């Protein structure tokens, strides 16, 4: 392969000059210049091939050979796409708005909730992230704690983390216990005269550390929120479209009878093309329409964007990627479980489908996050041409969210490299308390 006409150093210099330092790179000490991608592989300017374990955006080949105009014109693509999406969702979620990004989708969900309920306040989970718009930074503890702090209309409930949270795997009913925390937060807000418009949650909290909420948690929370006059918003931007394997949408893991009032979609919906969607009920949509203010988005719902969305659904179905995510994810969980028995630094392996977290700990009793060790592992994996990153409040959770074509062979290869790195770390680095305790 011919080298890129502009070398990595020149590109990095230009980036540093032209882009804000807040636009961060993976591996900032030695960034990778990616010039091409195919399936689950990425290629740098020298032609080196990396296995991509973290890019949950790509799905299918872009379709861009159609007339492109805005959604004020009648066109088959937008109605065909809405119909196809409706077939994947509970019947109640039957009205669709199309946008360009997940942040736009969550911002619109917030507007819909406030218009429908006549209330203003929002309940969110600790460590949550819902987008980069000002309205969403305000409901993202992951961001606002480092910026302007918590607004009076935002109320934070504990993350339903059964590994690190107050109610753990040995609790008889963690779903009800964590939902009761939401009820407590709502009650505290109401005592101050606040009124709840919505509860926002990623169906599987990602930046919180690849968290799998206990089954039954969402229905319990929805009951508390609806009794307070609010609506339940399920953020599927990172985890929808079959990634969890068992279901098309991650909120369906909470039970077949659970239906959110609003669902937001983004990222993989367009395979890298800027597409997003909000699905909601007739009742919520009618309340929004009653304002008389038009909802219009220049590129959201354009023929090209809808053609891309349809193509993604076609590929998901034709290549049976949901079933593929289930089988490969199960295999990857099994392999990682075997490593947990071998390496005490692996405190918890959790996940479903191709959404998996590996929680690295310094000590089994305290479950102290092994932050430096996680960073070291990610760096070593990169040297082995495997791209992985960390998340969670302690930045100690290895997150697996690969493209959905990630294969059984990829899973074996990645875990074998992880095993070798951990073995080497135990022999040479021995930097974490857990490892020091080993003979």
């Amino acid at each position: 392969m011919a080298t890129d006409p502009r070398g990595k150093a020149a590109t990095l210099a230009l980036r540093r000059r032209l882009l804000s330092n807040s636009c961060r790179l993976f591996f900032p000490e030695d960034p990778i210049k990616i010039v091409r991608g195919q399936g689950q592989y990425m290629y740098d300017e020298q032609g080196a091939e990396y296995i991509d374990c973290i890019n949950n955006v790509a799905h299918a080949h872009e379709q861009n050979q159609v007339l492109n105009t805005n959604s004020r014109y009648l066109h088959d693509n937008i109605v065909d796409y809405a119909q196809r999406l409706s077939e994947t969702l509970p019947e109640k979620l039957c009205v669709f708005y199309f946008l360009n990004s997940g942040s736009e989708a969550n911002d619109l969900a917030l507007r819909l909730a406030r218009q429908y309920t006549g209330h203003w306040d929002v309940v969110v989970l600790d460590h949550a992230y819902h987008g980069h718009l000002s309205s969403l930074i305000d409901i993202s503890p992951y961001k606002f704690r480092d910026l302007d702090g918590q607004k009076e209309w935002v109320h934070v409930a504990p993350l339903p983390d059964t590994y690190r949270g107050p109610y753990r795997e040995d609790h008889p009913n963690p779903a009800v216990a964590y939902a009761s925390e939401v009820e407590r937060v709502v009650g505290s807000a109401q005592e101050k005269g606040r009124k709840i418009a919505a509860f926002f949650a990623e169906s599987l909290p990602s930046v919180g550390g690849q968290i799998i909420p206990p089954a039954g948690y969402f229905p319990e929370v929805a009951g508390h929120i609806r009794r307070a006059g609010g609506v339940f918003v399920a953020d599927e931007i990172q985890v929808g479209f079959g990634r969890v394997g068992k279901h098309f949408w991650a909120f369906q893991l909470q039970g077949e009878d659970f239906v959110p009032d609003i669902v937001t979609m983004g990222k993989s919906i367009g395979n890298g093309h800027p597409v997003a969607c909000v699905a909601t009920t007739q009742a919520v949509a009618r309340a929004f329409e009653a304002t008389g203010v038009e909802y219009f988005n220049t590129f959201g719902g354009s023929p090209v964007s809808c053609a891309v969305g349809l193509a993604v659904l076609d590929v998901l179905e034709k290549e049976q990627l949901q079933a593929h995510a289930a089988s490969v994810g199960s295999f990857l969980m099994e392999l990682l479980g075997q490593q947990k028995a071998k390496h005490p630094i692996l405190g918890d392996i959790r996940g479903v489908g191709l959404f998996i977290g590996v929680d690295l700990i310094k000590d089994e009793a305290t479950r102290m996050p092994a932050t430096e060790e996680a960073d070291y592992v990610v760096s070593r994996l990169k040297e082995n041409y495997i791209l992985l990153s960390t998340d969670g409040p302690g930045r100690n959770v290895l997150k697996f969210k690969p493209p959905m074509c990630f294969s059984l062979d990829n899973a074996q290869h990645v875990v074998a490299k992880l095993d070798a790195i951990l073995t080497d770390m135990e022999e040479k680095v021995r930097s974490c308390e857990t490892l020091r305790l080993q003979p």
Side-chain angles (χ1 to χ4, degrees):
M1 176 186 290
T3 58
D4 191 68
R6 178 184 289 133
K8 182 169 79 172
T11 300
L12 185 59
L14 276 173
R15 181 185 172 98
R16 286 173 173 163
R17 179 162 64 87
L18 298 171
L19 300 186
S20 166
N21 287 336
S22 64
C23 302
R24 296 175 182 171
L25 289 162
F26 280 133
F27 315 109
E29 301 302 319
D30 183 24
I32 303 167
K33 183 175 182 180
I34 297 297
V35 298
R36 185 169 67 89
Q38 183 173 350
Q40 64 272 47
Y41 301 100
M42 299 178 78
Y43 301 86
D44 69 13
E45 81 282 8
Q46 300 298 326
E49 180 182 84
Y50 294 80
I51 297 177
D52 178 8
C53 296
I54 50 176
N55 182 9
N56 61 330
V57 175
H59 254 317
H61 293 293
E62 185 176 42
Q63 303 289 297
N64 202 22
Q65 303 301 313
V66 198
L67 165 72
N68 199 20
T69 185
N70 68 57
S71 58
R72 282 193 175 110
Y73 294 98
L74 188 64
H75 197 281
D76 284 334
N77 283 12
I78 192 168
V79 292
D80 289 345
Y81 188 36
Q83 178 65 34
R84 286 282 297 278
L85 285 173
S86 73
E87 292 166 3
T88 71
L89 287 160
E91 186 177 355
K92 184 180 173 185
L93 296 167
C94 58
V95 182
F96 298 85
Y97 301 85
F98 293 103
L99 315 92
N100 304 304
S101 72
S103 289
E104 282 193 359
N106 278 337
D107 180 74
L108 178 59
L110 183 58
R111 289 176 59 198
L112 289 168
R114 285 172 167 167
Q115 182 61 36
Y116 175 68
T117 64
H119 300 170
W120 192 258
D121 289 26
V122 176
V123 179
V124 294
L125 295 175
D126 205 359
H127 310 296
Y129 175 64
H130 293 290
H132 64 81
L133 300 181
S134 295
S135 61
L136 305 176
I137 294 294
D138 286 345
I139 64 169
S140 298
Y142 172 71
K143 292 290 186 182
F144 71 57
R145 291 214 167 97
D146 294 324
L147 296 169
D148 298 331
Q150 185 172 339
K151 301 291 194 295
E152 64 176 356
W153 53 270
V154 177
H155 312 281
V156 179
L159 190 66
D161 180 355
T162 57
Y163 184 68
R164 295 187 174 281
Y167 311 111
R168 299 188 173 183
E169 65 274 11
D170 57 352
H171 191 280
N173 197 335
V176 170
Y178 278 113
S180 295
E181 291 291 327
V182 175
E183 182 182 31
R184 178 187 57 78
V185 167
V186 169
S188 177
Q190 290 175 326
E191 287 173 4
K192 299 172 186 173
R194 311 299 306 188
K195 294 183 178 180
I196 304 301
F199 173 85
F200 269 73
E202 292 177 274
S203 297
L204 298 176
S206 180
V207 297
Q210 305 291 96
I211 303 301
I212 312 298
Y217 170 69
F218 281 0
E220 289 286 333
V221 169
H224 298 316
I225 294 297
R226 288 166 181 161
R227 281 189 289 274
V231 297
F232 191 108
V233 181
D235 180 339
E236 289 274 337
I237 290 163
Q238 297 227 46
V239 294
F241 292 88
R243 172 164 293 278
V244 300
K246 294 179 182 178
H247 301 282
F248 199 79
W249 303 105
F251 71 78
Q252 293 169 322
L253 293 165
Q254 291 287 316
E256 61 182 32
D257 295 331
F258 171 66
V259 181
D261 301 288
I262 301 172
V263 173
T264 58
M265 314 165 199
K267 293 192 185 296
S268 56
I269 186 175
N271 182 45
H273 184 86
V275 189
C277 180
V278 175
T280 191
T281 64
Q282 284 283 1
V284 172
R286 285 174 183 150
F288 194 62
E289 293 160 9
T291 64
V293 176
E294 177 191 19
Y295 167 75
F296 171 68
N297 192 308
T298 302
F299 296 108
S302 72
V304 166
S305 291
C306 290
V308 170
L310 284 163
V312 169
L313 294 179
D314 287 342
V315 170
L316 279 168
E317 185 176 322
K318 180 181 177 183
E319 299 185 9
Q320 299 181 310
L321 290 180
Q322 182 181 331
H324 180 81
S327 63
V328 176
S330 176
F331 180 63
L332 181 54
M333 285 283 288
E334 181 183 341
L335 293 179
L336 290 167
Q338 293 168 5
Q339 295 304 310
K340 183 177 182 295
K342 184 177 179 182
H343 302 289
I345 192 173
L346 304 181
D348 189 38
I349 312 293
R350 53 182 175 261
V352 58
L354 288 174
F355 178 92
I356 295 171
V358 179
D359 198 312
L360 272 57
I361 57 172
K362 288 180 179 288
D363 177 78
E364 187 175 3
T366 65
R367 300 182 178 180
M368 182 184 293
T371 304
E372 297 81 11
E373 292 76 17
D375 187 58
Y376 173 81
V377 169
V378 167
S379 177
R380 288 287 308 277
L381 283 168
K382 178 217 170 192
E383 292 171 7
N384 285 272
Y385 303 99
I386 295 169
L387 306 180
L388 205 62
S389 62
T390 59
D391 240 326
R395 304 298 302 180
N396 66 303
V397 180
L398 305 179
K399 60 177 180 179
F400 288 81
K401 293 184 293 183
M404 287 174 62
C405 49
F406 192 80
S407 70
L408 295 171
D409 285 346
N410 295 149
Q412 283 186 309
H413 177 72
V414 169
V415 174
K417 292 294 184 183
L418 178 63
D419 180 23
I421 290 166
L422 292 175
T423 300
D424 181 66
M425 201 164 83
E426 290 160 357
E427 293 173 353
K428 296 178 181 177
V429 179
R430 302 184 67 82
S431 60
C432 84
E433 293 300 319
T434 306
L435 301 178
R436 285 178 187 156
L437 294 172
Q438 303 309 303

